[in-house]
Amino acid sequence: MLTDASDATGADLDALLGQIADMELLVVPGPQGDPQALVVYRRLDAYAVEIEYLAVAPAVRRQGMARALVNRVQALEAAMVVARTDDDAIGFYRDSGFQCSASATDPRWPDRQRYICVRPHVPLVRNPETDSSSVEWVNGSPAPVQVAVVEPDLA
């Protein structure tokens, strides 16, 4: 499954396993104990984690496992979740509550359009850190506001 998420095989897969050895790994086992889904992620700082690899076995795709893993990561880490992806998975991230925008090219996949996707952690948005030396608010700290969803205006 890590090959599906990374395109790595053989020696490249062995090298990848070494690179992710210090990262967190969650696996969804199937009835026979075989992995059906996995997520590899790392903590960026006190407020965010980044998903490095997310994969679901073809036989069980579109059953909510990937979203459940993302939810579990966010619940376990109590943090904003960041992911970088390409056109293959951008719809999943948007449908899962991430805000996505174009990102720089990734040297692992130089021919693919890349995106950075961010899913806020609501408690951090509602109660922002105000006295941390690692956070600098521009124009003051954010304040909660009412959001209205309205019909689009063609003008």
Side-chain angles (χ1 to χ4, degrees), residues 110-121:
D111 300 337
R112 296 183 189 172
Q113 169 65 53
R114 299 295 290 170
Y115 303 91
I116 185 167
C117 303
V118 178
R119 186 188 210 193
H121 182 56

Side-chain angles (χ1 to χ4, degrees), residues 38-105:
L38 66 80
V39 63
V40 177
Y41 68 95
R42 65 186 174 96
R43 182 150 289 274
L44 294 174
D45 58 29
Y47 307 101
V49 295
E50 182 170 16
I51 293 174
E52 291 290 334
Y53 298 99
L54 177 63
V56 176
V60 292
R61 287 187 182 150
R62 304 205 185 288
Q63 296 180 19
M65 282 192 200
R67 185 172 293 163
L69 280 171
V70 170
N71 292 345
R72 184 72 174 148
V73 167
Q74 191 160 47
L76 284 171
E77 300 297 333
M80 170 177 63
V81 178
V82 177
R84 297 173 201 277
T85 192
D86 54 30
D87 290 324
D88 292 345
I90 190 70
F92 162 77
Y93 284 105
R94 286 182 176 141
D95 291 346
S96 297
F98 286 76
Q99 299 298 314
C100 302
S101 60
S103 181
T105 302

Side-chain angles (χ1 to χ4, degrees), residues 28-36 60 65:
V28 177
Q32 308 303 320
D34 54 321
Q36 294 201 343
V60 292
M65 282 192 200

